[in-house]
Amino acid sequence: MTKAEVFEFFRRLAEDNPSPETELAFGNTYQLLVAVVLSAQSTDVGVNKATRELFKTVTTPAQMVALGEEGLKEHIKTIGLFNGKAKNVIALSEILVRDHGGDVPQDRDALTALPGVGRKTANVVMNCAFGAETFAVDTHIFRVGNRTGLAKGKSPLAVERQLEKKVPAPFRVGAHHWLILHGRYICKARTPECWRCPVADLCAFKPKTAAPKSKRA
């Protein structure tokens, strides 16, 4: 895409959804961090269901440590890989209490030093909690970036680097939300719904998917 096309791409997504947000439910920055760690290879819907009761009583790292690994497992046992995730959440909570005064750090290096926190998780927290211009490349963004021609790359990091170069200033904070939502609900993995896509004419994907017969009728 040209610079003008990239600008128009995000302008249309922004027009359709002026205030994009993560679909994970949380009440503070610590709960956001926990939710994102739990969301690895799980759906936001599934994580929200598991944390609904948990987050009513656990709002700080100290409270999570007091709950303990077994207590946490009881809340999140419906989530995939919950044993490893519970271990990581307790461990990162202990570190936050010990080394950060119970606060979630704002920089990527400190975040990725926490158990269970990779670059993508750190980018989500930095963006959603602190308004940083970061691009958390998940499977949706990786697919949309490559399929549309917006940001091609053979790895999530390569796509992230392309987005860092190409996304214009007015859209940098909201960009990863728009791309995730676009990939989740329109530019789907198996069958992209090109027939209702607001940026179809800017997209390099061919052939475009036609509307189902019921929709055409």
Side-chain angles (χ1 to χ4, degrees), residues 154-172:
K154 294 183 178 180
S155 68
L157 182 58
V159 171
E160 180 184 337
R161 295 302 191 206
Q162 287 295 307
L163 291 172
E164 287 176 347
K165 292 178 181 178
K166 293 183 176 182
V167 178
F171 309 113
R172 293 181 69 83

Side-chain angles (χ1 to χ4, degrees), residues 52-74:
R52 189 175 296 121
E53 293 302 317
L54 173 68
F55 285 170
K56 288 180 180 179
T57 56
V58 176
T59 62
T60 68
Q63 290 172 338
M64 187 68 79
V65 173
L67 177 65
E69 189 173 328
E70 293 305 315
L72 177 56
K73 285 180 183 179
E74 284 302 308

Side-chain angles (χ1 to χ4, degrees), residues 55-111:
F55 285 170
K56 288 180 180 179
T57 56
V58 176
T59 62
T60 68
Q63 290 172 338
M64 187 68 79
V65 173
L67 177 65
E69 189 173 328
E70 293 305 315
L72 177 56
K73 285 180 183 179
E74 284 302 308
H75 284 280
I76 67 170
K77 59 187 177 183
T78 57
I79 300 176
L81 307 176
F82 72 93
N83 285 313
K85 291 176 181 179
K87 182 177 181 179
N88 284 335
V89 168
I90 296 300
L92 72 83
S93 298
E94 291 172 341
I95 293 172
L96 291 179
V97 171
R98 185 187 70 218
D99 299 339
H100 299 281
D103 295 327
V104 176
Q106 297 189 30
D107 66 281
R108 185 182 286 117
D109 288 344
L111 283 167

